[in-house]
Amino acid sequence: MGNKPENELKSGIGTRIRTHREAQKLSRSYVAEKLGVALSTLQAWENEEREPTATHILRLSECLNASVAWLVAGSEAQEAVSQLPVFTSGATALDVKGNHVDLDEFVFVPRYNVSASAGYGALNDDESPMFTVSFRRYWVVNHLKADPRKLSVISVSGDSMMGILNDKDIILVNHEDRDPREGIYVIRLDSQLLVKMVQRLPGSQLRISSTNPAFEPFIIELDNIPSDFDVIGKVVWYGRVI
């Protein structure tokens, strides 16, 4: 008899999401972006018009630093601090002029000690980054339309793409874009990373080419992809020292 009706139990989830988010001074747009959902979806959850799925409750637990048990059962469960990494809103640093910078406005992308066009293997999951490179969160999400968690920074080696990408340029790679139509991509071939222009051709073919005429273009048959070929990701930005 002490159990609450199911509809009453569910109705508290949205309220707990909203109150905990507001207590941590997290905006709706920030939380929605961290969860990878539309702002209207989060609003519907908080207004108790819809309920988050189990997967989204887990992500909410990480983002809001609240236990899954508390989100689901409220005061009937002891709130625990999640051991999963979270993003803290309002953290600041100082720029070179001494002005405060809101760190939540930036994403910090891992910079790996890997070069494209050099004799180096593909990026490994256990590869440790040397450091991170910061980019404006708004630019990444709204202009690149990219998931910050799917980005990495590597360098260019060699002159196969001279005129567009030069030796020692650094490039931002979107690893979520691995189905090329047209653009500059990082590919793996014969255990090497190469940065090349990729063009989709009729007949399920990819034309791989360079800007340097000394490097001959070649064709990859998508119906018979070589075992030593893979698309690592699309190049979406580069940086250069003049």
Short mmCIF file of all heavy atoms in Angstrom, two decimals, residues 94-125:
data_model
loop_
_atom_site.label_atom_id
_atom_site.label_comp_id
_atom_site.label_asym_id
_atom_site.label_seq_id
_atom_site.Cartn_x
_atom_site.Cartn_y
_atom_site.Cartn_z
N LEU A 94 40.98 32.99 -17.38
CA LEU A 94 41.35 34.35 -17.75
C LEU A 94 42.06 34.34 -19.09
O LEU A 94 42.90 33.49 -19.36
CB LEU A 94 42.28 34.96 -16.69
CG LEU A 94 41.72 35.11 -15.28
CD1 LEU A 94 42.78 35.71 -14.36
CD2 LEU A 94 40.47 35.97 -15.28
N ASP A 95 41.72 35.31 -19.96
CA ASP A 95 42.45 35.45 -21.22
C ASP A 95 43.74 36.22 -20.97
O ASP A 95 44.05 36.58 -19.82
CB ASP A 95 41.58 36.09 -22.30
CG ASP A 95 41.21 37.55 -21.99
OD1 ASP A 95 41.84 38.17 -21.09
OD2 ASP A 95 40.29 38.08 -22.66
N VAL A 96 44.52 36.47 -22.01
CA VAL A 96 45.82 37.12 -21.84
C VAL A 96 45.70 38.55 -21.36
O VAL A 96 46.68 39.14 -20.90
CB VAL A 96 46.62 37.06 -23.17
CG1 VAL A 96 46.96 35.63 -23.53
CG2 VAL A 96 45.85 37.75 -24.30
N LYS A 97 44.51 39.12 -21.46
CA LYS A 97 44.27 40.48 -20.98
C LYS A 97 43.70 40.50 -19.56
O LYS A 97 43.41 41.56 -19.02
CB LYS A 97 43.30 41.22 -21.91
CG LYS A 97 43.81 41.37 -23.34
CD LYS A 97 45.01 42.29 -23.41
CE LYS A 97 45.41 42.55 -24.87
NZ LYS A 97 46.59 43.43 -24.97
N GLY A 98 43.51 39.32 -18.99
CA GLY A 98 42.97 39.24 -17.64
C GLY A 98 41.46 39.23 -17.58
O GLY A 98 40.89 39.32 -16.49
N ASN A 99 40.79 39.11 -18.73
CA ASN A 99 39.34 39.07 -18.75
C ASN A 99 38.84 37.65 -18.50
O ASN A 99 39.46 36.68 -18.93
CB ASN A 99 38.81 39.56 -20.11
CG ASN A 99 39.26 40.97 -20.41
OD1 ASN A 99 39.11 41.88 -19.61
ND2 ASN A 99 39.84 41.16 -21.60
N HIS A 100 37.69 37.55 -17.85
CA HIS A 100 37.11 36.24 -17.58
C HIS A 100 36.53 35.64 -18.86
O HIS A 100 35.89 36.33 -19.65
CB HIS A 100 36.02 36.34 -16.51
CG HIS A 100 36.57 36.53 -15.14
ND1 HIS A 100 36.97 35.47 -14.34
CD2 HIS A 100 36.82 37.66 -14.42
CE1 HIS A 100 37.42 35.93 -13.19
NE2 HIS A 100 37.35 37.26 -13.20
N VAL A 101 36.77 34.34 -19.06
CA VAL A 101 36.26 33.61 -20.21
C VAL A 101 35.42 32.45 -19.70
O VAL A 101 35.86 31.68 -18.84
CB VAL A 101 37.42 33.06 -21.09
CG1 VAL A 101 36.87 32.24 -22.24
CG2 VAL A 101 38.28 34.20 -21.59
N ASP A 102 34.19 32.34 -20.20
CA ASP A 102 33.30 31.24 -19.82
C ASP A 102 33.71 29.99 -20.59
O ASP A 102 33.57 29.92 -21.80
CB ASP A 102 31.85 31.62 -20.16
CG ASP A 102 30.85 30.57 -19.66
OD1 ASP A 102 31.29 29.50 -19.19
OD2 ASP A 102 29.64 30.83 -19.76
N LEU A 103 34.21 29.00 -19.87
CA LEU A 103 34.71 27.79 -20.51
C LEU A 103 33.60 26.99 -21.19
O LEU A 103 33.87 26.20 -22.10
CB LEU A 103 35.44 26.91 -19.50
CG LEU A 103 36.71 27.51 -18.88
CD1 LEU A 103 37.37 26.51 -17.93
CD2 LEU A 103 37.69 27.94 -19.96
N ASP A 104 32.37 27.18 -20.77
CA ASP A 104 31.26 26.46 -21.40
C ASP A 104 31.03 26.91 -22.84
O ASP A 104 30.32 26.24 -23.60
CB ASP A 104 29.97 26.66 -20.61
CG ASP A 104 29.96 25.85 -19.32
OD1 ASP A 104 30.76 24.91 -19.24
OD2 ASP A 104 29.17 26.17 -18.42
N GLU A 105 31.61 28.04 -23.23
CA GLU A 105 31.46 28.52 -24.59
C GLU A 105 32.39 27.79 -25.56
O GLU A 105 32.33 28.01 -26.77
CB GLU A 105 31.74 30.02 -24.66
CG GLU A 105 30.72 30.88 -23.92
CD GLU A 105 31.01 32.36 -24.08
OE1 GLU A 105 31.93 32.71 -24.86
OE2 GLU A 105 30.32 33.16 -23.43
N PHE A 106 33.25 26.92 -25.02
CA PHE A 106 34.25 26.26 -25.84
C PHE A 106 34.14 24.74 -25.73
O PHE A 106 33.65 24.21 -24.74
CB PHE A 106 35.66 26.69 -25.42
CG PHE A 106 35.94 28.16 -25.62
CD1 PHE A 106 35.59 29.09 -24.65
CD2 PHE A 106 36.52 28.61 -26.80
CE1 PHE A 106 35.83 30.42 -24.85
CE2 PHE A 106 36.76 29.95 -27.00
CZ PHE A 106 36.41 30.87 -26.02
N VAL A 107 34.63 24.07 -26.78
CA VAL A 107 34.84 22.63 -26.72
C VAL A 107 36.34 22.41 -26.86
O VAL A 107 37.04 23.16 -27.55
CB VAL A 107 34.08 21.87 -27.82
CG1 VAL A 107 32.58 22.01 -27.63
CG2 VAL A 107 34.46 22.34 -29.21
N PHE A 108 36.84 21.39 -26.20
CA PHE A 108 38.27 21.12 -26.17
C PHE A 108 38.53 19.80 -26.89
O PHE A 108 38.23 18.72 -26.36
CB PHE A 108 38.78 21.12 -24.73
CG PHE A 108 38.60 22.45 -24.05
CD1 PHE A 108 37.43 22.75 -23.36
CD2 PHE A 108 39.58 23.42 -24.14
CE1 PHE A 108 37.25 23.98 -22.76
CE2 PHE A 108 39.42 24.66 -23.55
CZ PHE A 108 38.25 24.94 -22.85
N VAL A 109 39.08 19.91 -28.09
CA VAL A 109 39.23 18.76 -28.98
C VAL A 109 40.64 18.18 -28.82
O VAL A 109 41.62 18.91 -28.81
CB VAL A 109 39.01 19.20 -30.45
CG1 VAL A 109 39.22 18.03 -31.40
CG2 VAL A 109 37.60 19.78 -30.62
N PRO A 110 40.76 16.86 -28.68
CA PRO A 110 42.08 16.25 -28.50
C PRO A 110 42.97 16.42 -29.73
O PRO A 110 42.52 16.27 -30.86
CB PRO A 110 41.77 14.77 -28.26
CG PRO A 110 40.40 14.56 -28.84
CD PRO A 110 39.67 15.85 -28.66
N ARG A 111 44.22 16.76 -29.47
CA ARG A 111 45.24 16.91 -30.52
C ARG A 111 46.17 15.71 -30.41
O ARG A 111 46.86 15.52 -29.40
CB ARG A 111 46.01 18.21 -30.32
CG ARG A 111 47.33 18.31 -31.11
CD ARG A 111 47.10 18.42 -32.61
NE ARG A 111 48.27 18.94 -33.28
CZ ARG A 111 49.20 18.20 -33.87
NH1 ARG A 111 49.09 16.87 -33.86
NH2 ARG A 111 50.23 18.77 -34.47
N TYR A 112 46.18 14.87 -31.46
CA TYR A 112 46.97 13.64 -31.45
C TYR A 112 48.29 13.82 -32.19
O TYR A 112 48.38 14.61 -33.15
CB TYR A 112 46.17 12.49 -32.07
CG TYR A 112 44.97 12.09 -31.27
CD1 TYR A 112 43.70 12.56 -31.59
CD2 TYR A 112 45.10 11.23 -30.18
CE1 TYR A 112 42.59 12.20 -30.84
CE2 TYR A 112 43.99 10.85 -29.43
CZ TYR A 112 42.75 11.34 -29.77
OH TYR A 112 41.64 10.98 -29.02
N ASN A 113 49.26 13.08 -31.77
CA ASN A 113 50.58 13.12 -32.40
C ASN A 113 50.56 12.19 -33.61
O ASN A 113 51.28 11.18 -33.67
CB ASN A 113 51.66 12.70 -31.41
CG ASN A 113 53.05 12.87 -31.98
OD1 ASN A 113 53.26 13.69 -32.87
ND2 ASN A 113 53.99 12.08 -31.49
N VAL A 114 49.70 12.52 -34.57
CA VAL A 114 49.50 11.70 -35.77
C VAL A 114 49.50 12.64 -36.97
O VAL A 114 48.96 13.74 -36.91
CB VAL A 114 48.16 10.94 -35.70
CG1 VAL A 114 47.88 10.20 -37.00
CG2 VAL A 114 48.16 9.96 -34.53
N SER A 115 50.13 12.20 -38.06
CA SER A 115 50.17 13.00 -39.27
C SER A 115 49.48 12.27 -40.41
O SER A 115 49.62 11.06 -40.57
CB SER A 115 51.62 13.30 -39.68
OG SER A 115 52.27 14.06 -38.68
N ALA A 116 48.73 13.01 -41.21
CA ALA A 116 48.12 12.45 -42.42
C ALA A 116 49.06 12.69 -43.58
O ALA A 116 49.63 13.77 -43.72
CB ALA A 116 46.77 13.09 -42.69
N SER A 117 49.22 11.71 -44.42
CA SER A 117 50.14 11.67 -45.56
C SER A 117 51.50 11.16 -45.14
O SER A 117 52.41 11.07 -45.95
CB SER A 117 50.31 13.03 -46.24
OG SER A 117 49.12 13.40 -46.91
N ALA A 118 51.67 10.82 -43.87
CA ALA A 118 52.93 10.23 -43.41
C ALA A 118 52.71 8.75 -43.14
O ALA A 118 51.59 8.26 -43.07
CB ALA A 118 53.41 10.93 -42.14
N GLY A 119 53.79 8.03 -42.97
CA GLY A 119 53.68 6.61 -42.73
C GLY A 119 53.30 6.31 -41.30
O GLY A 119 54.13 5.94 -40.49
N TYR A 120 52.04 6.48 -41.00
CA TYR A 120 51.57 6.29 -39.63
C TYR A 120 50.21 5.62 -39.68
O TYR A 120 49.41 5.90 -40.55
CB TYR A 120 51.46 7.64 -38.90
CG TYR A 120 51.57 7.56 -37.40
CD1 TYR A 120 52.76 7.86 -36.75
CD2 TYR A 120 50.48 7.17 -36.64
CE1 TYR A 120 52.85 7.79 -35.38
CE2 TYR A 120 50.57 7.09 -35.27
CZ TYR A 120 51.75 7.41 -34.63
OH TYR A 120 51.85 7.34 -33.27
N GLY A 121 49.95 4.75 -38.74
CA GLY A 121 48.69 4.02 -38.74
C GLY A 121 47.50 4.89 -38.40
O GLY A 121 47.64 6.07 -38.07
N ALA A 122 46.31 4.31 -38.48
CA ALA A 122 45.09 5.04 -38.19
C ALA A 122 45.02 5.41 -36.72
O ALA A 122 45.71 4.85 -35.87
CB ALA A 122 43.88 4.17 -38.56
N LEU A 123 44.16 6.38 -36.44
CA LEU A 123 43.95 6.77 -35.06
C LEU A 123 43.39 5.59 -34.28
O LEU A 123 42.44 4.94 -34.71
CB LEU A 123 42.96 7.94 -34.99
CG LEU A 123 43.48 9.30 -35.46
CD1 LEU A 123 42.34 10.29 -35.52
CD2 LEU A 123 44.57 9.80 -34.53
N ASN A 124 44.00 5.30 -33.12
CA ASN A 124 43.55 4.20 -32.30
C ASN A 124 42.73 4.73 -31.13
O ASN A 124 42.96 5.84 -30.66
CB ASN A 124 44.76 3.42 -31.75
CG ASN A 124 45.58 2.82 -32.88
OD1 ASN A 124 45.03 2.23 -33.80
ND2 ASN A 124 46.89 2.97 -32.79
N ASP A 125 41.81 3.90 -30.65
CA ASP A 125 40.99 4.31 -29.52
C ASP A 125 41.82 4.57 -28.28
O ASP A 125 41.44 5.34 -27.41
CB ASP A 125 39.93 3.25 -29.22
CG ASP A 125 38.87 3.17 -30.32
OD1 ASP A 125 38.71 4.18 -31.04
OD2 ASP A 125 38.23 2.12 -30.44
#
